[in-house]
Amino acid sequence: MKEKILSIKDKYRKNPEWYWLLATLLFFPLLPEYLSLIFALATFVVFKIFWGKADKKALMGDLGKAFFIYMCYMIVSALWSKTHILSALIGLMWMGCFLIYVYIANCVNTKEKLKNAITMINVSAGIVALIAIVEIVMYNMSVHLGWIEYEYCLPNPLYYYFNDFIYDAIPVEIINYKFSSRASSTFDNPLILATYLVITTPFCAFGSVYFKHSKNRKISRVCLLLAIGGIVCTSSRGAYIAVALSIITIMLSSNRAIFKKIFPFILLIAVAVPVGLILRYENSPAGDFLASTSHRVEIWKHCFKMFKENFILGLGAGCDNIHTILRDVHGIDRTHAHNLFLEMITEGGIVGGAFGVSIVVIIFVKIVKLTKTKEKIFHRYAALYISSLLGFLIMSIFEFTLQSPKELLTMFMLLGFIEATCRIAENSEQITIHEDAGNLEAEFINK
């Protein structure tokens, strides 16, 4: 036991920034929104210190530079925004979350690290989903079966009471919502949880079939089952569509053996989704199940009108401008456009939209490069990232999916893995004296 502890200490001393990255991937989804960003910033500082001692630079790459320019534009938009300070703070929040992209893109520099980092994502997603499942199971046991008192149910969101204490202590007004029949887990609402799980579930599916027989593969399979259950517990129709198409994308890009291994999970989704829809219908007030769709259509109409009236530069970064107009002019008390693409052009105008298109093009080019490499494993990684991005984009049609720190951290995490994988495939990653890329090959099925 003592020798094992000494071995772990020795590995940490040789590569501390790597273990701090694993801690970041594990804990940021589990912490409250305000603490997750602080934790990610703190671990990035650790990374920079040790990276600098190794005389290496934290490179952003083309994708990182494009995002950095866009975030600078968000801060500049504070000049014409009616909420100057808030718009500037939103841009700064994006920059803070962006640092996890830089961390991952530089620190994940071997195939073995890539495998272990994905496993850590899967573990975190599994824990988050398990909490969501417990929330909904306890709620239905209380409301429909009467087995437990409602007051003894797990809080939903998990940090609801802690959030109340924090929000009361700060000068900014933040409404702390409590949910019952739709799981939020460690996130602030069910839709934010759904966005996170839509992005991370394909990682669980990938690890459960492509990692060679090992603890990583077994862990990923358990986490995939939990992640599917967690998505069902959010009762998000957009998430149901998104995750189903994401896993189907992985299936279609695989061979027959892999197809057979993923197919049972598709059957599970096919059975679980109707159950989730039935529970949402039963637990929602009369008419509310369909009213949410009609509300979105009305919001989209008004937001598109705002975009046309502020065509060039938009209203400025942040939801508050849109929220004020929706509430005061149209009598709709909703905080955002409920559509990522409409939100971006309403906030940033055609200029912001152009930045968004350029970022999408760069991502597309990087994934295409992965599909053209000689090693088949990178083709599989390309399919993983396509499926995860596809789920995110589908979810973004129905929701503003970049409104909270943890959503931003999750999105930048995904982009960081795309950048890191491209660098490994192109042999342009930075390797320290303690890392031998040739001897740290991950074990995958090569069929």
Side-chain angles (χ1 to χ4, degrees), residues 29-30 127-133 135 155-160 182-190 193 406:
L30 303 177
I127 296 171
V128 167
L130 178 60
I131 294 170
I133 293 169
E135 286 175 340
N156 183 14
L158 183 66
Y159 299 114
Y160 175 80
R182 301 179 65 189
S184 303
S185 188
T186 60
F187 293 76
D188 281 356
N189 68 55
L193 169 62
K406 287 206 282 191

Side-chain angles (χ1 to χ4, degrees), residues 179-370:
F179 300 88
S180 53
S181 60
R182 301 179 65 189
S184 303
S185 188
T186 60
F187 293 76
D188 281 356
N189 68 55
L191 292 174
I192 298 176
L193 169 62
T195 301
Y196 166 76
L197 289 176
V198 161
I199 292 175
T200 54
T201 299
F203 282 81
C204 297
F206 181 88
S208 68
V209 294
Y210 282 121
F211 291 158
K212 197 172 181 179
H213 294 287
S214 64
K215 61 181 180 181
N216 301 67
R217 184 174 183 176
K218 293 175 183 177
I219 289 170
S220 296
R221 284 189 171 180
V222 173
C223 293
L224 177 57
L225 288 170
L226 292 172
I228 292 172
I231 288 176
V232 171
C233 291
T234 65
S235 295
S236 170
R237 291 162 291 181
Y240 295 164
I241 298 170
V243 76
L245 291 178
S246 295
I247 296 181
I248 288 172
T249 300
I250 293 180
M251 287 177 63
L252 295 177
S253 63
S254 62
N255 56 37
R256 184 176 297 178
I258 300 300
F259 184 94
K260 290 180 179 178
K261 290 173 182 175
I262 297 182
F263 187 69
F265 295 104
I266 290 292
L267 290 179
L268 177 63
I269 293 173
V271 173
V273 165
V275 174
L277 291 173
I278 291 169
L279 286 174
R280 179 175 178 182
Y281 180 77
E282 289 184 350
N283 293 324
S284 300
D288 184 65
F289 186 70
L290 297 177
S292 62
T293 301
S294 61
H295 284 160
R296 276 178 169 81
V297 174
E298 285 298 311
I299 291 169
W300 293 343
K301 288 179 181 177
H302 295 311
C303 287
F304 189 70
K305 183 180 178 182
M306 293 179 213
F307 164 63
K308 289 193 293 184
E309 292 172 351
N310 301 272
F311 183 74
I312 304 297
L313 299 176
L315 295 171
C319 303
D320 206 49
N321 290 309
I322 295 174
H323 179 210
T324 301
I325 295 174
L326 287 174
R327 183 192 60 207
D328 297 346
V329 178
H330 304 291
I332 302 174
D333 193 11
R334 293 293 186 271
T335 55
H336 50 71
H338 279 284
N339 180 293
L340 173 63
F341 316 107
L342 191 54
E343 182 80 28
M344 290 184 69
I345 60 173
T346 305
E347 290 185 14
I350 198 66
V351 175
F355 283 127
V357 170
S358 66
I359 289 168
V360 170
V361 170
I362 293 172
I363 294 171
F364 176 76
V365 170
K366 286 186 176 295
I367 292 177
V368 169
K369 285 182 178 179
L370 285 177

Side-chain angles (χ1 to χ4, degrees), residues 327-440:
R327 183 192 60 207
D328 297 346
V329 178
H330 304 291
I332 302 174
D333 193 11
R334 293 293 186 271
T335 55
H336 50 71
H338 279 284
N339 180 293
L340 173 63
F341 316 107
L342 191 54
E343 182 80 28
M344 290 184 69
I345 60 173
T346 305
E347 290 185 14
I350 198 66
V351 175
F355 283 127
V357 170
S358 66
I359 289 168
V360 170
V361 170
I362 293 172
I363 294 171
F364 176 76
V365 170
K366 286 186 176 295
I367 292 177
V368 169
K369 285 182 178 179
L370 285 177
T371 64
K372 293 183 177 180
T373 56
K374 293 181 179 180
E375 292 186 67
K376 287 185 178 180
I377 187 57
F378 292 115
H379 302 172
R380 294 164 184 165
Y381 276 114
L384 163 63
Y385 300 140
I386 289 171
S387 65
S388 195
L389 285 169
L390 176 64
F392 173 74
L393 293 175
I394 292 171
M395 189 70 186
S396 299
I397 296 172
F398 309 100
E399 183 62 21
F400 176 35
T401 49
L402 296 176
Q403 61 177 311
S404 77
K406 287 206 282 191
E407 281 183 314
L408 287 167
L409 286 168
T410 304
M411 188 269 292
F412 281 124
M413 175 191 74
L414 171 60
L415 299 182
F417 272 93
I418 294 174
E419 178 68 27
T421 308
C422 286
R423 293 182 187 182
I424 294 170
E426 297 169 355
N427 295 315
S428 61
E429 74 280 8
Q430 301 179 78
I431 304 295
T432 68
I433 58 174
H434 303 294
E435 297 163 340
D436 182 352
N439 294 327
L440 287 176

Side-chain angles (χ1 to χ4, degrees), residues 84-111:
H84 308 294
I85 296 175
L86 185 60
S87 293
L89 289 175
I90 291 295
L92 291 173
M93 181 182 76
W94 275 60
M95 284 189 171
C97 296
F98 169 75
L99 295 177
I100 197 172
Y101 160 87
V102 180
Y103 197 168
I104 293 169
N106 288 274
C107 195
V108 180
N109 50 18
T110 68
K111 292 178 184 176

Side-chain angles (χ1 to χ4, degrees), residues 5-21 46 50 434:
I5 294 173
L6 291 173
S7 175
I8 293 172
K9 287 183 177 180
D10 184 58
K11 289 179 180 179
Y12 172 79
R13 280 196 298 267
K14 290 179 178 178
N15 206 354
E17 66 273 17
W18 164 241
Y19 291 96
W20 279 103
L21 176 59
V46 174
F50 288 104
H434 303 294

